[in-house]
C-alpha cells in the first residue's frame, strides 16, 4: 500500500471543507480528498441562500432568537451565539474574496424564508447561491500552493493508533493509499440519499458519519432529519429542490383540488416552520388521496419570477412545467440532517486529532430543526473555527514517520455483493416509508428488523464506490432508526404519531457510539 503524509487532511470539499482548508493553508500542507469532483457537494446545489444579520432591520440577537425557536428547545446556545455573532464577519470576508450577492440598487438584497422574523437571506444569481460560494472558495483555495486536491478519492476508513486519529485510508486510482496526517477533518456533508425522496445530490451518503462511527466516535441527535416541503414531483424529473424562497416571495401551496390549505395548519401559512409545512402537505396528500400537492407562482409577475429564480425556471421548463403559467407538482423530500459527529464549538470530536465541521458534524447549533439558510453560514463559521483548532492543537506534533512505519495493509481481501444496488434501493424506500416524516413504534420496529437483515454488509471490506457507499448508508440508517426509536416523543423535525407530545425527558440529547460491534447509546 502507498503511504503519503500531509500536515492536514480534509475529507470533503463543500463550504465547510474549503473554508477549513483556507484557514489551514498558511500553516502547512493541506490535502483535500473528495470522492467526486471537488465542486460536487450539497453546497453547489444550495439555492435559497445564506442567512446573516446584516440588513438595516436586523440584529444578531434577533437571528439568535429565530434560530433557537426553530431548534425547538434543543439548540446548543453557545454554538448559536457563535454562528450568528461570527456570521457577519465571515460573509464580509467572502465578499472581499469576490462573492457577488444580489443587490437591490447599491445595497445587498435580503430575502425572507420560513421561521425568519426578518429579511436576512442573501442570495446570488437569484437561486444559485451555493454555486457562487463554491466558486469563490475554490478560487481562494487555488491561490495557496500548500493545498492539494485529490478528486475521485473515496475515504474508506480512518487510521486510528492508540486511540488517536492519524489520517485515513483512501481509495484512489483503484489503489488503497494511507494518508498520514497530524489532523483529520471530516466535512463530507449529509446523508439525504438514505431516503428514497431527497433534495440532496448523489454524493450525500453519510460517509463521514459512518467512518467516524466505525472508528469509535460519538454521534448525536441522529433522529433529527429535516424534510423540505417542496421538491419537484414528477415521474419524469429528478427530485429537484424548489426553494423556500419561492414561498418567501409569495408562492402558495394548493391541494390537488387547487385549494390553498396552509392557513388551516399554521398562522404563518406558507412560511410556517418546515416540519409543519411538510406534515401539512402529507395530511393533504392523504386527505385527497394524491401523490403530491401544487406550488403556485402564477400570480407573481412573469419577469420577476424568471429573474429571481432563473435556475428553477429553466430546470422546471426542461420537464414541461412553465412555472409562471403552470402549477408546480411538489411533495416533501429529505433535506438535511441536524445530527452528526458530535463536536464542541471548535469542531473537536470524541477522538483525538479527529475534527468535523458542517452537516457531517453536530455542534447542536440547529437543535431539533434547522432554521432555513443557516447551513451555508454554519459551513463558513465552523469550517474556519475547526481549521483554526486543528492547526492549534497539532502544532506540537512533529514526527509522522513512526505512524507511517506502523500502517499495515487495510485489507487482505476485498468483498463484493452482486445485489448491492437492489439493497440500496430497498433501503432508501424502507427509510422513506418507515423512518420518514411521520414515524411510530411499529414502523421503526419494522425498519430495525429489515436493516438488521443486511448487517452482514457491515463486516465486509469493499473496493467499489457504490458498495462502500452502501455500507455507510446502512450504518447511518441504523443510527437514525435507533435514535428515532429511543426518542419517544415529538420534537422539532422528529415526529411520532404514537407520541405526539414532547414527553417528559425531551431535553435529552441521544449520543450513539460503537461498542463490541453494536450501536450503544447514552443516556442509557
Ligand atoms: C431552500 O432554498 O429552500 C433551501 C435552503 C435551506 O435549506 O437552507
Amino acid at each position: 500500500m502507498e503511504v503519503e503524509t500531509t500536515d492536514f487532511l480534509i475529507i470533503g470539499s463543500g463550504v465547510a471543507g474549503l473554508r477549513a482548508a483556507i484557514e489551514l493553508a498558511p500553516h502547512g500542507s493541506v490535502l483535500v480528498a473528495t470522492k467526486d469532483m471537488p465542486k460536487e457537494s450539497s453546497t453547489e446545489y444550495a439555492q435559497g441562500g445564506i442567512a446573516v444579520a446584516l440588513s438595516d432591520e436586523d440584529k444578531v440577537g434577533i437571528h439568535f432568537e429565530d434560530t433557537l425557536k426553530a431548534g425547538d428547545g434543543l439548540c446548543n446556545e453557545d454554538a448559536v451565539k457563535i454562528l450568528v455573532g461570527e456570521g457577519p464577519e465571515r460573509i464580509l470576508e467572502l465578499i472581499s474574496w469576490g462573492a457577488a450577492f444580489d443587490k437591490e440598487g447599491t445595497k445587498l438584497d435580503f430575502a425572507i424564508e420560513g421561521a425568519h422574523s426578518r429579511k436576512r437571506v442573501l442570495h446570488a444569481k437569484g437561486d444559485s447561491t451555493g454555486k457562487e460560494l463554491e466558486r469563490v472558495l475554490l478560487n481562494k483555495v487555488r491561490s495557496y500552493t500548500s493545498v492539494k486536491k485529490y478528486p475521485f478519492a473515496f475515504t474508506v476508513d480512518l487510521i486510528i493508533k492508540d486511540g488517536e486519529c492519524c489520517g485515513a485510508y483512501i481509495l484512489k486510482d483503484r489503489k488503497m493509499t494511507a494518508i498520514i496526517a497530524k489532523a483529520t477533518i471530516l466535512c463530507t456533508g449529509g446523508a439525504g440519499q438514505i431516503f428514497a425522496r431527497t433534495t440532496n445530490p448523489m454524493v450525500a451518503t453519510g460517509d463521514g458519519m459512518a467512518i467516524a462511527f466505525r472508528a469509535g466516535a460519538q454521534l448525536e441527535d441522529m433522529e433529527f432529519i429535516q424534510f423540505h416541503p417542496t421538491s419537484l414531483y414528477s415521474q419524469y424529473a429528478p427530485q429537484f429542490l424548489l426553494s423556500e424562497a419561492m414561498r418567501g416571495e409569495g408562492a402558495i401551496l394548493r391541494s390537488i383540488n387547487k385549494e390553498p390549505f396552509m392557513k388551516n395548519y399554521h398562522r404563518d401559512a406558507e412560511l410556517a416552520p418546515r416540519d409543519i409545512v411538510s406534515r401539512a402537505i402529507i395530511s393533504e396528500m392523504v386527505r385527497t388521496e394524491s401523490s403530491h400537492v401544487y406550488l403556485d407562482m402564477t400570480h407573481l409577475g412573469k419577469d420577476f419570477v424568471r429573474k429571481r429564480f432563473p435556475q428553477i425556471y429553466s430546470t422546471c421548463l426542461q420537464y414541461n412545467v412553465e412555472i409562471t403559467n403552470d402549477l408546480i407538482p411538489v411533495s416533501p423530500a429529505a433535506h438535511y440532517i441536524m445530527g452528526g459527529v458530535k463536536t464542541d464549538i471548535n469542531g473537536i470530536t470524541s477522538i483525538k486529532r479527529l475534527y468535523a465541521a458542517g452537516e457531517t458534524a453536530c455542534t447542536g447549533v440547529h437543535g431539533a430543526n434547522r432554521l432555513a439558510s443557516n447551513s451555508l453560514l454554519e459551513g463558513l463559521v465552523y469550517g474556519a473555527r475547526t481549521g483554526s483548532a486543528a492547526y492549534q492543537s497539532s502544532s506540537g506534533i512533529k514526527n509522522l514517520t513512526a505512524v507511517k512505519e506502523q500502517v499495515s495493509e487495510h485489507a487482505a481481501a476485498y468483498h463484493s455483493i452482486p445485489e448491492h444496488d437492489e439493497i440500496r434501493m430497498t433501503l432508501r424506500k424502507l427509510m422513506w416509508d418507515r423512518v420518514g416524516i411521520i414515524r411510530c413504534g411499529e414502523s421503526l420496529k419494522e425498519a430495525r428488523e429489515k436493516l438488521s437483515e443486511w448487517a452482514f454488509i457491515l463486516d465486509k471490506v469493499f473496493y467499489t464506490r457504490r458498495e462502500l457507499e452502501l455500507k455507510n448508508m446502512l450504518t447511518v440508517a441504523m443510527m437514525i432508526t435507533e435514535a428515532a426509536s429511543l426518542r419517544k416523543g415529538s420534537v422539532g423535525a422528529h415526529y411520532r404519531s404514537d407520541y405526539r407530545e414532547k414527553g417528559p425527558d425531551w431535553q435529552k440529547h441521544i449520543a450513539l457510539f460503537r461498542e463490541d460491534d453494536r450501536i450503544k447509546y447514552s443516556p442509557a
Side-chain angles (χ1 to χ4, degrees):
M1 175 165 33
E2 282 185 28
V3 182
E4 290 182 29
T5 57
T6 181
D7 289 322
F8 308 106
L9 170 62
I10 298 175
I11 303 167
S13 55
V15 55
L18 295 180
R19 187 59 191 80
I22 292 165
E23 203 63 23
L24 286 164
H27 304 294
S29 53
V30 183
L31 176 58
V32 180
T34 183
K35 70 177 175 182
D36 210 291
M37 291 180 297
K39 73 179 176 60
E40 194 57 29
S41 64
S42 294
T43 299
E44 175 75 8
Y45 297 94
Q47 296 176 357
I50 182 159
V52 64
L54 272 176
S55 79
D56 295 343
E57 62 171 45
D58 204 2
K59 287 195 168 58
V60 160
I62 309 176
H63 190 185
F64 175 75
E65 290 301 331
D66 287 351
T67 302
L68 293 192
K69 205 166 153 203
D72 206 11
L74 281 183
C75 290
N76 169 351
E77 294 196 11
D78 290 339
V80 180
K81 245 177 232 155
I82 288 168
L83 176 82
V84 298
E86 295 181 9
E89 195 186 328
R90 291 282 82 83
I91 294 291
L92 295 175
E93 172 185 75
L94 202 68
I95 293 173
S96 77
W97 294 342
F101 292 113
D102 295 334
K103 292 190 171 168
E104 180 76 61
T106 56
K107 284 186 153 183
L108 289 169
D109 183 33
F110 294 90
I112 193 152
E113 290 182 9
H116 286 273
S117 64
R118 295 288 189 280
K119 285 186 159 193
R120 66 164 69 93
V121 180
L122 287 175
H123 43 94
K125 296 188 181 66
D127 53 4
S128 296
T129 316
K131 223 184 247 346
E132 178 65 359
L133 253 71
E134 195 69 21
R135 180 189 72 79
V136 171
L137 291 169
L138 273 172
N139 269 346
K140 184 76 187 165
V141 162
R142 277 187 207 110
S143 71
Y144 292 102
T145 50
S146 53
V147 183
K148 191 156 79 172
K149 292 195 276 312
Y150 277 177
F152 301 104
F154 196 104
T155 301
V156 175
D157 270 313
L158 296 169
I159 301 171
I160 306 288
K161 296 276 167 221
D162 303 324
E164 295 189 16
C165 180
C166 307
Y169 294 105
I170 285 181
L171 190 60
K172 173 172 126 349
D173 300 331
R174 303 185 65 79
K175 281 201 301 277
M176 195 66 78
T177 303
I179 312 279
I180 312 291
K182 291 179 183 169
T184 302
I185 309 183
L186 299 171
C187 301
T188 54
Q193 285 295 327
I194 282 164
F195 294 90
R197 284 195 60 75
T198 182
T199 61
N200 290 189
M202 292 296 283
V203 289
T205 51
D207 302 324
M209 296 171 201
I211 61 174
F213 176 77
R214 283 201 288 279
Q218 284 208 10
L219 286 94
E220 195 163 79
D221 289 347
M222 293 298 282
E223 67 274 36
F224 297 120
I225 309 289
Q226 184 172 77
F227 295 89
H228 197 289
T230 54
S231 82
L232 184 61
Y233 184 87
S234 160
Q235 245 182 304
Y236 310 105
Q239 296 158 26
F240 180 69
L241 174 69
L242 295 163
S243 175
E244 185 152 326
M246 296 166 85
R247 280 173 283 130
E249 298 290 359
I252 295 169
L253 283 163
R254 295 183 183 276
S255 72
I256 198 83
N257 305 321
K258 321 245 168 94
E259 303 145 353
F261 58 83
M262 270 316 299
K263 283 221 164 68
N264 306 336
Y265 291 90
H266 195 276
R267 64 172 189 284
D268 293 336
E270 271 72 9
L271 290 184
R274 276 186 189 168
D275 58 312
I276 293 173
V277 182
S278 290
R279 286 198 297 276
I281 292 174
I282 296 291
S283 297
E284 288 298 307
M285 282 161 46
V286 171
R287 187 180 69 77
T288 57
E289 295 180 13
S290 60
S291 54
H292 61 273
V293 296
Y294 291 117
L295 188 66
D296 179 7
M297 300 209 83
T298 56
H299 52 292
L300 303 174
K302 194 174 176 120
D303 290 347
F304 167 75
V305 170
R306 290 177 65 158
K307 180 152 181 266
R308 178 70 178 83
F309 300 108
Q311 195 200 159
I312 294 174
Y313 179 85
S314 63
T315 304
C316 289
L317 205 55
Q318 283 173 38
Y319 301 101
N320 299 327
V321 183
E322 207 283 2
I323 66 173
T324 69
N325 252 328
D326 305 327
L327 297 182
I328 316 167
V330 294
S331 96
H335 185 57
Y336 189 88
I337 178 161
M338 274 66 77
V341 182
K342 185 177 176 173
T343 72
D344 72 356
I345 50 167
N346 294 310
I348 296 173
T349 71
S350 57
I351 297 181
K352 226 169 153 197
R353 291 165 57 189
L354 177 67
Y355 302 79
E359 192 172 350
T360 319
C362 177
T363 57
V365 73
H366 305 302
N369 204 4
R370 179 180 60 94
L371 183 68
S373 289
N374 263 358
S375 44
L376 291 177
L377 193 68
E378 178 196 13
L380 284 180
V381 168
Y382 282 97
R385 287 181 75 86
T386 304
S388 164
Y391 158 63
Q392 279 165 30
S393 41
S394 319
S395 49
I397 306 167
K398 297 264 180 301
N399 194 353
L400 298 176
T401 325
V403 182
K404 204 169 161 179
E405 281 160 8
Q406 286 170 27
V407 171
S408 54
E409 288 294 316
H410 178 256
Y414 292 99
H415 303 103
S416 180
I417 306 178
E419 71 278 24
H420 64 87
D421 272 335
E422 282 99 308
I423 299 177
R424 187 187 187 112
M425 192 188 80
T426 316
L427 180 146
R428 298 181 71 220
K429 191 164 163 11
L430 175 78
M431 291 302 286
W432 178 252
D433 289 342
R434 294 283 164 252
V435 197
I437 300 174
I438 299 177
R439 304 158 172 178
C440 68
E442 198 51 39
S443 71
L444 294 166
K445 184 167 166 275
E446 268 179 53
R448 285 175 91 194
E449 284 169 6
K450 185 71 200 163
L451 291 170
S452 69
E453 285 176 22
W454 296 316
F456 69 94
I457 292 174
L458 302 176
D459 302 329
K460 302 255 184 288
V461 185
F462 297 110
Y463 196 64
T464 67
R465 171 170 162 178
R466 295 285 288 183
E467 286 164 301
L468 286 161
E469 284 181 342
L470 176 64
K471 178 168 160 177
N472 291 341
M473 289 165 74
L474 176 62
T475 306
V476 176
M478 284 176 160
M479 284 193 275
I480 293 170
T481 309
E482 193 69 31
S485 309
L486 289 166
R487 185 172 286 281
K488 296 188 170 51
S490 294
V491 188
H494 169 72
Y495 185 81
R496 286 196 46 165
S497 56
D498 49 351
Y499 294 100
R500 288 167 195 256
E501 303 301 323
K502 283 184 166 172
D505 53 353
W506 68 273
Q507 275 167 316
K508 71 181 177 190
H509 290 269
I510 299 168
L512 303 172
F513 52 94
R514 177 184 172 176
E515 208 179 271
D516 303 329
D517 276 343
R518 301 187 57 174
I519 299 179
K520 295 278 176 163
Y521 58 89
S522 71

PDB file of all heavy atoms in Angstrom, residues 47-48 113 228 241 243-244 274 335 370 372-373 375, ligand 1:
ATOM      1  N   GLN A  47     -29.792  26.595  -3.047  1.00  0.00           N
ATOM      2  CA  GLN A  47     -30.455  27.621  -3.857  1.00  0.00           C
ATOM      3  C   GLN A  47     -30.705  28.886  -3.054  1.00  0.00           C
ATOM      4  O   GLN A  47     -30.130  29.931  -3.259  1.00  0.00           O
ATOM      5  CB  GLN A  47     -31.798  27.081  -4.357  1.00  0.00           C
ATOM      6  CG  GLN A  47     -31.688  25.913  -5.289  1.00  0.00           C
ATOM      7  CD  GLN A  47     -33.050  25.367  -5.681  1.00  0.00           C
ATOM      8  OE1 GLN A  47     -34.085  25.837  -5.218  1.00  0.00           O
ATOM      9  NE2 GLN A  47     -33.064  24.375  -6.533  1.00  0.00           N
ATOM     10  N   GLY A  48     -31.632  28.742  -2.067  1.00  0.00           N
ATOM     11  CA  GLY A  48     -32.235  29.890  -1.379  1.00  0.00           C
ATOM     12  C   GLY A  48     -31.242  30.904  -0.901  1.00  0.00           C
ATOM     13  O   GLY A  48     -31.346  32.096  -1.230  1.00  0.00           O
ATOM     14  N   GLU A 113     -37.415  33.747   4.494  1.00  0.00           N
ATOM     15  CA  GLU A 113     -37.826  32.340   4.371  1.00  0.00           C
ATOM     16  C   GLU A 113     -38.552  31.951   5.643  1.00  0.00           C
ATOM     17  O   GLU A 113     -38.607  32.745   6.602  1.00  0.00           O
ATOM     18  CB  GLU A 113     -36.594  31.455   4.130  1.00  0.00           C
ATOM     19  CG  GLU A 113     -35.983  31.661   2.754  1.00  0.00           C
ATOM     20  CD  GLU A 113     -34.788  30.763   2.477  1.00  0.00           C
ATOM     21  OE1 GLU A 113     -34.508  29.861   3.266  1.00  0.00           O
ATOM     22  OE2 GLU A 113     -34.132  30.985   1.450  1.00  0.00           O
ATOM     23  N   HIS A 228     -37.679  18.798   3.483  1.00  0.00           N
ATOM     24  CA  HIS A 228     -38.042  20.052   2.807  1.00  0.00           C
ATOM     25  C   HIS A 228     -39.430  19.868   2.205  1.00  0.00           C
ATOM     26  O   HIS A 228     -39.704  18.843   1.578  1.00  0.00           O
ATOM     27  CB  HIS A 228     -37.023  20.368   1.708  1.00  0.00           C
ATOM     28  CG  HIS A 228     -37.071  21.796   1.254  1.00  0.00           C
ATOM     29  ND1 HIS A 228     -38.108  22.294   0.508  1.00  0.00           N
ATOM     30  CD2 HIS A 228     -36.229  22.835   1.468  1.00  0.00           C
ATOM     31  CE1 HIS A 228     -37.886  23.584   0.263  1.00  0.00           C
ATOM     32  NE2 HIS A 228     -36.750  23.931   0.846  1.00  0.00           N
ATOM     33  N   LEU A 241     -35.012  20.478  -5.924  1.00  0.00           N
ATOM     34  CA  LEU A 241     -35.477  21.371  -4.845  1.00  0.00           C
ATOM     35  C   LEU A 241     -36.174  22.612  -5.413  1.00  0.00           C
ATOM     36  O   LEU A 241     -35.697  23.216  -6.369  1.00  0.00           O
ATOM     37  CB  LEU A 241     -34.258  21.820  -4.018  1.00  0.00           C
ATOM     38  CG  LEU A 241     -34.519  22.860  -2.933  1.00  0.00           C
ATOM     39  CD1 LEU A 241     -35.339  22.266  -1.790  1.00  0.00           C
ATOM     40  CD2 LEU A 241     -33.214  23.420  -2.395  1.00  0.00           C
ATOM     41  N   SER A 243     -36.947  26.029  -3.981  1.00  0.00           N
ATOM     42  CA  SER A 243     -36.506  26.791  -2.807  1.00  0.00           C
ATOM     43  C   SER A 243     -37.654  27.388  -1.998  1.00  0.00           C
ATOM     44  O   SER A 243     -38.654  27.873  -2.547  1.00  0.00           O
ATOM     45  CB  SER A 243     -35.587  27.921  -3.272  1.00  0.00           C
ATOM     46  OG  SER A 243     -35.241  28.716  -2.183  1.00  0.00           O
ATOM     47  N   GLU A 244     -37.428  27.383  -0.683  1.00  0.00           N
ATOM     48  CA  GLU A 244     -38.371  28.016   0.233  1.00  0.00           C
ATOM     49  C   GLU A 244     -38.501  29.516  -0.072  1.00  0.00           C
ATOM     50  O   GLU A 244     -39.517  30.143   0.229  1.00  0.00           O
ATOM     51  CB  GLU A 244     -37.831  27.838   1.653  1.00  0.00           C
ATOM     52  CG  GLU A 244     -38.744  28.339   2.705  1.00  0.00           C
ATOM     53  CD  GLU A 244     -38.553  27.581   4.003  1.00  0.00           C
ATOM     54  OE1 GLU A 244     -38.251  26.377   3.983  1.00  0.00           O
ATOM     55  OE2 GLU A 244     -38.712  28.216   5.037  1.00  0.00           O
ATOM     56  N   ARG A 274     -40.546  24.439   8.622  1.00  0.00           N
ATOM     57  CA  ARG A 274     -40.548  23.397   7.585  1.00  0.00           C
ATOM     58  C   ARG A 274     -41.227  22.097   8.001  1.00  0.00           C
ATOM     59  O   ARG A 274     -41.888  21.458   7.195  1.00  0.00           O
ATOM     60  CB  ARG A 274     -39.112  23.041   7.217  1.00  0.00           C
ATOM     61  CG  ARG A 274     -38.570  23.962   6.224  1.00  0.00           C
ATOM     62  CD  ARG A 274     -37.232  23.546   5.765  1.00  0.00           C
ATOM     63  NE  ARG A 274     -36.761  24.668   4.966  1.00  0.00           N
ATOM     64  CZ  ARG A 274     -35.546  24.827   4.548  1.00  0.00           C
ATOM     65  NH1 ARG A 274     -34.636  23.932   4.831  1.00  0.00           N
ATOM     66  NH2 ARG A 274     -35.211  25.872   3.829  1.00  0.00           N
ATOM     67  N   HIS A 335     -33.963  16.437   3.439  1.00  0.00           N
ATOM     68  CA  HIS A 335     -33.187  17.603   3.003  1.00  0.00           C
ATOM     69  C   HIS A 335     -31.908  17.815   3.803  1.00  0.00           C
ATOM     70  O   HIS A 335     -30.881  18.182   3.250  1.00  0.00           O
ATOM     71  CB  HIS A 335     -34.094  18.823   3.137  1.00  0.00           C
ATOM     72  CG  HIS A 335     -33.516  20.099   2.622  1.00  0.00           C
ATOM     73  ND1 HIS A 335     -33.089  20.245   1.328  1.00  0.00           N
ATOM     74  CD2 HIS A 335     -33.297  21.298   3.230  1.00  0.00           C
ATOM     75  CE1 HIS A 335     -32.634  21.484   1.152  1.00  0.00           C
ATOM     76  NE2 HIS A 335     -32.740  22.134   2.298  1.00  0.00           N
ATOM     77  N   ARG A 370     -33.431  22.828  11.844  1.00  0.00           N
ATOM     78  CA  ARG A 370     -32.568  23.933  11.391  1.00  0.00           C
ATOM     79  C   ARG A 370     -33.380  25.079  10.801  1.00  0.00           C
ATOM     80  O   ARG A 370     -34.292  24.867  10.008  1.00  0.00           O
ATOM     81  CB  ARG A 370     -31.612  23.388  10.320  1.00  0.00           C
ATOM     82  CG  ARG A 370     -30.667  24.401   9.738  1.00  0.00           C
ATOM     83  CD  ARG A 370     -29.788  23.739   8.697  1.00  0.00           C
ATOM     84  NE  ARG A 370     -30.586  23.188   7.628  1.00  0.00           N
ATOM     85  CZ  ARG A 370     -30.867  23.820   6.500  1.00  0.00           C
ATOM     86  NH1 ARG A 370     -30.400  25.039   6.275  1.00  0.00           N
ATOM     87  NH2 ARG A 370     -31.592  23.237   5.575  1.00  0.00           N
ATOM     88  N   ALA A 372     -34.034  27.783   8.184  1.00  0.00           N
ATOM     89  CA  ALA A 372     -33.681  27.814   6.766  1.00  0.00           C
ATOM     90  C   ALA A 372     -32.482  28.727   6.518  1.00  0.00           C
ATOM     91  O   ALA A 372     -32.362  29.795   7.128  1.00  0.00           O
ATOM     92  CB  ALA A 372     -34.879  28.318   5.962  1.00  0.00           C
ATOM     93  N   SER A 373     -31.609  28.290   5.642  1.00  0.00           N
ATOM     94  CA  SER A 373     -30.444  29.056   5.176  1.00  0.00           C
ATOM     95  C   SER A 373     -29.376  29.307   6.238  1.00  0.00           C
ATOM     96  O   SER A 373     -28.484  30.126   6.054  1.00  0.00           O
ATOM     97  CB  SER A 373     -30.875  30.375   4.509  1.00  0.00           C
ATOM     98  OG  SER A 373     -31.486  30.076   3.277  1.00  0.00           O
ATOM     99  N   SER A 375     -27.401  26.785   7.092  1.00  0.00           N
ATOM    100  CA  SER A 375     -26.350  25.769   6.954  1.00  0.00           C
ATOM    101  C   SER A 375     -25.123  26.248   6.190  1.00  0.00           C
ATOM    102  O   SER A 375     -23.998  25.856   6.524  1.00  0.00           O
ATOM    103  CB  SER A 375     -26.903  24.494   6.326  1.00  0.00           C
ATOM    104  OG  SER A 375     -27.716  24.798   5.249  1.00  0.00           O
TER     105      SER A 375
HETATM  106  C1  LIG B   1     -34.093  26.415   0.125  1.00  0.00           C
HETATM  107  O1  LIG B   1     -33.644  27.151  -0.750  1.00  0.00           O
HETATM  108  O2  LIG B   1     -35.284  26.249   0.343  1.00  0.00           O
HETATM  109  C2  LIG B   1     -33.118  25.622   0.948  1.00  0.00           C
HETATM  110  C3  LIG B   1     -32.469  26.500   1.919  1.00  0.00           C
HETATM  111  C4  LIG B   1     -32.035  25.716   3.116  1.00  0.00           C
HETATM  112  O3  LIG B   1     -32.355  24.550   3.246  1.00  0.00           O
HETATM  113  O4  LIG B   1     -31.397  26.309   3.991  1.00  0.00           O
END
